[in-house]
Amino acid sequence: MTTLEAVAPPGADELAAMYLQFELEKLYTDEAALLDAHQYEDWLELWADDARYFMPIRRTRTRRELSKEFTKPGEMAYFDDDKALLEARVRKIRTGTAWAEDPPSRTRHLITNVRVAGVVGAGDDGVEGDLDVWSNFILYRTRLKSEEMTWVGSRNDKVRRSGGGLLIADRKIYLEQTVILSQNLSNFF
């Protein structure tokens, strides 16, 4: 008997978990491709109507103050947008008057380590809650002849099933950098 023959076939729970992992990784791969191709209107379709997009400021803290490393919602942040603000940012880019994106940046989004941490907001009424999903990212951006920037970090998303598909309902972006050397933050993470 070979090792492969000794492995039991996956059960229904394992198959469901594998399919969910596939769905999430496909969502993030498709999202990265849309952003890199500047298809922002299609990218907006991946977001729930009540979505929030939040990037706190990171500060260097001692070990005993690590709970204060990132600003909280309601405090200063690089981004604290709802879907209407994301749509306004896309409209501004499309006008050609957004100096930070004319000529447009060339980007490459790399998303890794996608993992489901649990379900948030699941109720006793049988309504499924949002998936609590973490991922890591590298965003490389180059613009003009010599402007080049790389951001590294993690994202914590709330992903909601809607109409058979997945929508991003909330995104928190945690940069590894405490000082951003970029000339602007005109791209999406």
Side-chain angles (χ1 to χ4, degrees):
M1 181 183 295
T2 67
T3 306
L4 290 177
E5 292 176 49
V7 175
D13 288 345
E14 285 110 348
L15 287 174
M18 288 173 12
Y19 185 72
L20 176 61
Q21 184 73 28
F22 166 78
E23 283 184 298
L24 290 167
E25 289 181 13
K26 182 173 181 345
L27 171 71
Y28 292 142
T29 301
D30 291 347
E31 178 191 20
L34 290 170
L35 289 171
D36 292 340
H38 307 285
Q39 295 176 337
Y40 303 120
E41 291 81 4
D42 294 334
W43 173 72
L44 287 168
E45 295 298 317
L46 300 177
W47 290 81
D49 289 339
D50 62 340
R52 182 163 185 201
Y53 183 90
F54 182 73
M55 181 190 285
I57 294 172
R58 184 178 206 150
R59 301 166 293 201
T60 302
R61 296 291 186 180
T62 61
R63 284 196 189 279
R64 37 172 211 271
E65 294 183 313
L66 282 180
S67 64
K68 299 176 185 175
E69 185 176 21
F70 292 99
T71 57
K72 308 285 186 242
E75 297 178 348
M76 185 70 78
Y78 293 116
F79 298 112
D80 192 358
D81 300 348
D82 58 11
K83 188 168 182 181
L85 276 172
L86 291 175
E87 290 168 342
R89 288 178 61 197
V90 167
R91 277 193 309 275
K92 182 176 181 179
I93 289 170
R94 292 294 187 222
T95 66
T97 61
W99 65 268
E101 284 302 317
D102 192 23
S105 297
R106 293 171 297 278
T107 61
R108 192 63 52 212
H109 290 75
L110 305 175
I111 310 301
T112 67
N113 299 49
V114 176
R115 59 212 177 278
V116 178
V119 179
V120 177
D124 296 331
D125 55 4
V127 176
E128 289 185 41
D130 294 340
L131 296 168
D132 181 18
V133 182
W134 284 86
S135 61
N136 295 337
F137 70 88
I138 298 173
L139 172 52
Y140 172 79
R141 177 182 148 219
T142 182
R143 187 171 171 275
L144 303 173
K145 292 180 181 178
S146 61
E147 199 174 309
E148 191 174 353
M149 186 66 199
T150 303
W151 292 275
V152 177
S154 62
R155 305 182 309 189
N156 180 216
D157 291 346
K158 303 301 177 264
V159 177
R160 179 177 303 149
R161 191 167 299 283
S162 176
L166 297 176
L167 294 175
I168 303 165
D170 184 82
R171 173 166 289 164
K172 291 181 180 65
I173 303 141
Y174 301 101
L175 290 177
E176 292 303 318
Q177 293 96 322
T178 54
V179 175
I180 296 180
L181 301 176
S182 175
Q183 310 239 349
N184 59 60
L185 278 174
S186 60
N187 46 283
F188 298 101
F189 290 84

